[in-house]
Amino acid sequence: MLAIECAGLTKHFGDLTAVDHVSFEVEKGERFGLLGPNGAGKTTTIRMLTTVIPPDEGTAKVLGFDVRRKPDKVREKIGVVLQGLALEFFSTVYDTLDIYGRIYKMNAENRKKRIEYLLSEFELEDKRNERIDCLSGGLQRRVQVATAFMQPPEILFLDEPTIGLDPQSRRKIWQFIEEFSKGGYTVILSTHYMDEADYLCSRIGIIDYGKISALDTPEGLKSTLGGGDIITFGVEGNVDLLRSTISKLDYVEEIMAGDELAARVENADEVLFKLSEEVVKAGAKIKNISVRKPSLEDTFIKLTGRRIE
Amino acid sequence: MFKFGAFSGLTALLFREGKIWWGLRYLVFTSLFTPLLYFFLLGTGMREMMGEMLFDGSPVDDYILFLTPGIIGMGIVSIAISSGTTSFNERQWGTFERVLTLPVSRSSYVLAKILVAMILSIGQLLFILLLGIPLVEGGLYCDNIFLVLLATLLGVICFCSFITLLALSIKSSTEFYGLTGLMLLPIILCSPAFYSLEAMPFWLRAIAYINPMTYMVDVLRAGFMGSWDQQIPWGIEVLILCVFTILFLAISIISLRRVRV
Ligand SMILES: Nc1ncnc2c1ncn2[C@@H]1O[C@H](COP(=O)(O)OP(=O)(O)O)[C@@H](O)[C@H]1O
Ligand SMILES: [Mg+2]
């Protein structure tokens, strides 16, 4: 059975189509990412899959249960980390975890064990009796993620789980998601961080203006660019003119979209010097040069025509 | 385990409400304390003067006795406002959306909120009855405790639903706090909480008749004193209170179904 199966999923808000006929499938045990800029429709998609709002068109099944017809069944099996900090701010860390244990009908002994385990995993032991509104944002986020793990869910949804977090909290959360998914559980996450999607996800759907424009493994997405190296020049001069000049060179495979002057070539070692000379000949002053492998971000820019903010 | 579909997760949600209210305890204490201040200060201050006030056709015997149902009614409205404030906070915190993803029903969520408000209201009722012992000769007496409980429970549901309705439809916190703060006084003063309807000018009485507080306080008073303010029998007043309650409850349940997160 598939973990997620959605076909033609659509949501309108007035004239705006926030999610536009989105279809994808996720196998059990996968770590699936929705990667897209602000306003792309990630949260709306996750809200429909987690039964918070009903889809206007299309169908979505979570573990075989239709989100519209069997929302109760879906809710029993999922854990959700919302985009915002959704926490009972006036209660303590321990009590908050206890609340979620009770909601998932764990008995007192199991609750206690699980809470101790999560407090140590998320390094929150010394904060157990602090009120949540007195914690820093990073710690609050860790508590929120911990609540979703009180009862290990069959599918865990995380909507931009590390947005605006300090590196330490970010790493903790990544680690925990990895550990969790090793147990054969499914993870669906949305993010606008390239490195997060690249690192955490086994498959990524690139979403923009409510549509999924590409869906593949991180490697697959990167290789749609055709491999090779990307050479970027920091220059003084007319960048548009330079672009059209070097695009005529036969060893330049592709000019990258974006503000900078960047070109993809087969092998940077062989052509770097030649190419630099061409740039200088065209009348520009080179301030710096960098060489790198194509990244997910390059694919993203190619597909959507813009850089993610 | 036996499972009620419509009320699944109720005990867990009640525990959760308890924790939320416990976190708000200083605020709750203030809102419970204010009616008590009125009871002492207004009650003792006006006791002599208000002996002249006509109530049920004759001057009141003891203003404190007359005032008690009004204070209880005021307490219920304060508790309902606090309860609505927790609903409003939950929308802002995002915990409301979180609840929608949990294996609990929306009706359990509403019921948990109303039950906690009921428990607080009954606690307050008992506390005021105890306080009345030193204040009133022979203690506060209660003609018909069931009628008092009925009015309390209906009143809690009525006002909780009404404030929840505001909490679900207003987005900005300044508007919500401004509006609830502004409403408290007219709800209390355009009703027979502090003075009898007979003592009111016509226009004020007209407003009082469309204020559910009027019926709640009247039924409470009928329960305490065995006499009440109006020409209509208390049975009809209970009915009118029921109509307000069912109306507000129904509208708030409908808007809870539709609310956007
Ligand atoms: N409740 C809502 N009412 C109106 N518009 C909304 C609502 N929720 C989201 N939108 C709009 O839908 C689009 C997609 O939003 P969202 O799914 O939150 O994107 P993302 O999570 O990718 O940033 C945005 O343009 C947003 O303004
Ligand atoms: Mg979002």
Side-chain angles (χ1 to χ4, degrees), chain A residues 13 47 50-52 75-76 80 82 85-91 95 98-100 102-104 131 147-148, chain B residues 1 3 9 12-13 15-16 19-20 23-24 89 93-95 97-98 100-104 106 260-261:
Chain A
F13 294 112
R47 280 181 172 161
T50 55
T51 78
V52 172
R75 286 177 201 154
E76 276 171 20
V80 184
L82 298 172
L85 276 170
L87 286 168
E88 285 73 10
F89 283 99
F90 297 155
S91 72
D95 288 344
D98 198 25
I99 288 171
Y100 286 90
R102 282 167 197 261
I103 285 173
Y104 286 103
R131 272 172 63 134
T147 61
Chain B
M1 206 178 78
K3 198 179 137 194
L13 286 178
F15 177 81
R16 177 175 167 280
K19 290 291 174 191
I20 293 176
L24 281 167
N89 283 338
W93 291 344
T95 47
E97 181 180 350
R98 180 77 195 270
L100 297 184
T101 70
L102 298 174
V104 299
R106 286 188 192 202
R260 277 197 180 166
V261 284

Side-chain angles (χ1 to χ4, degrees), chain A residues 49-199:
Chain A
L49 294 177
T50 55
T51 78
V52 172
I53 52 174
D56 292 337
E57 283 172 52
T59 55
K61 283 186 183 164
V62 176
L63 294 163
F65 296 112
D66 189 299
V67 292
R68 229 178 325 208
R69 292 203 202 95
K70 299 263 181 236
D72 305 349
K73 294 279 182 208
V74 174
R75 286 177 201 154
E76 276 171 20
K77 309 224 179 275
I78 60 172
V80 184
V81 177
L82 298 172
Q83 181 171 347
L85 276 170
L87 286 168
E88 285 73 10
F89 283 99
F90 297 155
S91 72
T92 64
V93 173
Y94 191 98
D95 288 344
T96 304
L97 292 170
D98 198 25
I99 288 171
Y100 286 90
R102 282 167 197 261
I103 285 173
Y104 286 103
K105 302 191 173 71
M106 299 166 74
N107 66 33
E109 196 186 332
N110 287 346
R111 278 204 310 270
K112 195 159 178 288
K113 260 194 244 155
R114 187 71 183 167
I115 294 173
E116 293 306 330
Y117 168 71
L118 290 172
L119 287 177
S120 88
E121 279 296 315
F122 284 93
E123 293 170 14
L124 290 162
E125 281 140 317
D126 51 335
K127 307 285 181 202
R128 61 173 64 221
N129 293 323
E130 301 240 355
R131 272 172 63 134
I132 290 177
D133 56 355
C134 303
L135 300 178
S136 71
L139 292 180
Q140 289 176 340
R141 193 64 169 180
R142 284 193 227 171
V143 177
Q144 188 191 357
V145 175
T147 61
F149 283 106
M150 264 311 280
Q151 150 119 325
E154 284 185 44
I155 304 183
L156 179 67
F157 291 88
L158 303 110
D159 195 1
E160 312 223 21
T162 65
I163 195 165
L165 283 195
D166 56 288
Q168 198 200 351
S169 295
R170 193 162 191 233
R171 219 164 26 245
K172 273 259 84 71
I173 289 171
W174 283 11
Q175 257 175 28
F176 211 86
I177 294 172
E178 270 193 294
E179 280 297 314
F180 172 75
S181 94
K182 279 187 196 140
Y185 300 108
T186 313
V187 175
I188 314 283
L189 83 124
S190 84
T191 183
H192 70 266
Y193 295 125
M194 297 290 166
D195 55 341
E196 184 162 89
D198 199 359
Y199 179 83

Side-chain angles (χ1 to χ4, degrees), chain B residues 31-32 35 69-81 121 124 128 188 213:
Chain B
S31 72
L32 289 181
I71 295 298
I72 291 169
M74 182 179 175
I76 289 171
V77 177
S78 304
I79 289 168
I81 289 179
S121 302
Q124 178 189 248
I128 287 180
I188 291 163
M213 178 81 171

